[in-house]
Amino acid sequence: MELIDRILYLKKEKGALIVAHNYQLPEVQDVADFVGDSLELSKKVAQMENRLVVFCGVKFMAETAKILSPEKTVLLPRPEALCPLAEMITVEEIRDFKKNHPRIKVVAYVNTNADVKAEADVCCTSANAVKVIRNIDGEEILFVPDRNLALWSARFVDGKKVIPWDGFCYLHKRIKRKEVKEAKNRHPDAIVLAHPECDPDVLDLADAVLSTSQMLRYAKESEGKKFIICTEVGLLHRLRKENPQKKFFVPRALMCRNMKLTRLEDVYNSLLYEKYKIELPQEIISRSREALEKMLEYA
Ligand code: 13P
Ligand code: SF4
């Protein structure tokens, strides 16, 4: 049997659900039941009845799914698939910061580890950061860990002081303004869509700044025929599949090495051996769940 058929057979036999992030390898996306951004996937896991879930993405995403569905078995096919951005803030650093800023509210981007979420007042995603900051009850906000998302969101929130943590996504940082300008010169009629993890001078060139799934919706609904996409190259798979009549370009083809670790063999082994299980202490689950639920309430 082909590997894909073996995966589909095993998935059916075990009643499992496979979800994949928009940056996963095309063949992994194609074998998944749902493909989406980090939050959509966790919400999907929570909605579905399946007790066994294979999460093709990076660890913080699978953890978020586990936090929202603690009764389910959530598997991460490659346990070393970490997001370097999520590793840029620790619980101790937040606690130290709070000592000197007793009234500070902490907003944690979902790209954080579960213990950091547990320390935060509320979580947010790239899709809802502005709404969360607007609605949080507090004037002074520490936003962790992504500096660019913090600065971008702060542009749309009056009357609040947003203090950005100095974290960054190494991949989005590599997208340079000069390259985006060159891409615009090559395709002057193209619409520029950028992820808010890009540097501010790149975001200034964008027609819209969106999460990965918001880009998919924008491209589908837009009258535009050409798009310059400033994010990880994996998103092109769905963009092209769902919009065969439109053209998509990237300033530079950048791959997130962590997102690309998961291959079809890993998905198969994950299903077969039910590995690697996401395990979190009960106390972390309940505290981080509060921050995630508050996000859903605010946004
Ligand atoms: P999205 O939530 O927009 O899919 O982004 C996740 C991510 O890791 C971006 O680099
Ligand atoms: Fe993390 Fe950046 Fe990879 Fe997204 S693209 S998972 S933020 S390293």
Side-chain angles (χ1 to χ4, degrees), residues 90-107:
T90 64
V91 170
E92 291 69 33
E93 286 169 321
I94 295 182
R95 287 187 184 157
D96 278 352
F97 195 93
K98 278 183 182 171
K99 274 186 209 152
N100 300 322
H101 301 78
R103 281 204 298 277
I104 200 94
K105 297 281 175 180
V106 179
V107 177

Side-chain angles (χ1 to χ4, degrees), residues 23 58 60 83-85 111 169-172 197 256 258-259:
Y23 293 161
V58 288
F60 80 80
C83 165
L85 170 61
N111 296 44
C169 163
Y170 75 96
L171 176 131
H172 286 88
E197 288 171 16
C256 171
N258 311 285
M259 280 285 180

Side-chain angles (χ1 to χ4, degrees), residues 44-241:
K44 191 54 88 178
V45 170
Q47 279 164 14
M48 301 299 286
E49 306 257 289
N50 315 64
R51 310 293 297 176
L52 184 65
V53 180
V54 179
F55 203 116
C56 304
V58 288
K59 189 164 156 242
F60 80 80
M61 296 180 176
E63 280 186 352
T64 307
K66 179 73 182 175
I67 294 164
L68 292 174
S69 306
E71 72 292 354
K72 296 185 182 171
T73 300
V74 179
L75 306 173
L76 182 67
R78 293 291 296 261
E80 73 278 41
L82 304 177
C83 165
L85 170 61
E87 305 302 317
M88 288 183 187
I89 181 76
T90 64
V91 170
E92 291 69 33
E93 286 169 321
I94 295 182
R95 287 187 184 157
D96 278 352
F97 195 93
K98 278 183 182 171
K99 274 186 209 152
N100 300 322
H101 301 78
R103 281 204 298 277
I104 200 94
K105 297 281 175 180
V106 179
V107 177
Y109 188 26
V110 280
N111 296 44
T112 44
N113 291 316
D115 59 346
V116 167
K117 287 187 179 74
E119 207 62 30
D121 292 283
V122 55
C123 290
C124 76
T125 71
S126 52
N128 61 26
V130 174
K131 277 190 191 159
V132 167
I133 296 171
R134 269 195 197 137
N135 289 329
I136 195 168
D137 180 19
E139 312 285 272
E140 216 187 13
I141 291 147
L142 173 67
F143 189 103
V144 299
D146 190 62
R147 181 179 173 80
N148 287 344
L149 177 60
L151 293 176
W152 173 254
S153 309
R155 292 190 196 190
F156 305 96
V157 184
D158 289 331
K160 301 212 182 201
K161 183 177 172 198
V162 179
I163 303 170
W165 194 255
D166 206 14
F168 59 91
C169 163
Y170 75 96
L171 176 131
H172 286 88
K173 249 206 165 335
R174 281 193 199 145
I175 301 173
K176 297 294 174 205
R177 181 178 170 89
K178 185 171 166 282
E179 296 166 346
V180 181
K181 275 190 156 179
E182 283 164 5
K184 273 172 74 117
N185 289 341
R186 284 195 298 278
H187 311 287
D189 49 344
I191 294 170
V192 179
L193 305 182
H195 196 278
E197 288 171 16
C198 293
D199 278 342
D201 63 350
V202 168
L203 298 182
D204 287 339
L205 293 176
D207 295 292
V209 175
L210 303 164
S211 79
T212 56
S213 286
Q214 285 176 332
M215 286 190 204
L216 284 153
R217 274 192 290 280
Y218 188 108
K220 197 174 271 180
E221 287 163 14
S222 166
E223 306 263 290
K225 295 277 175 269
K226 289 182 185 174
F227 301 84
I228 296 165
I229 305 295
C230 304
T231 194
E232 212 264 0
V233 74
L235 190 66
L236 293 184
H237 179 61
R238 265 186 86 188
L239 282 166
R240 287 179 175 149
K241 201 165 145 181

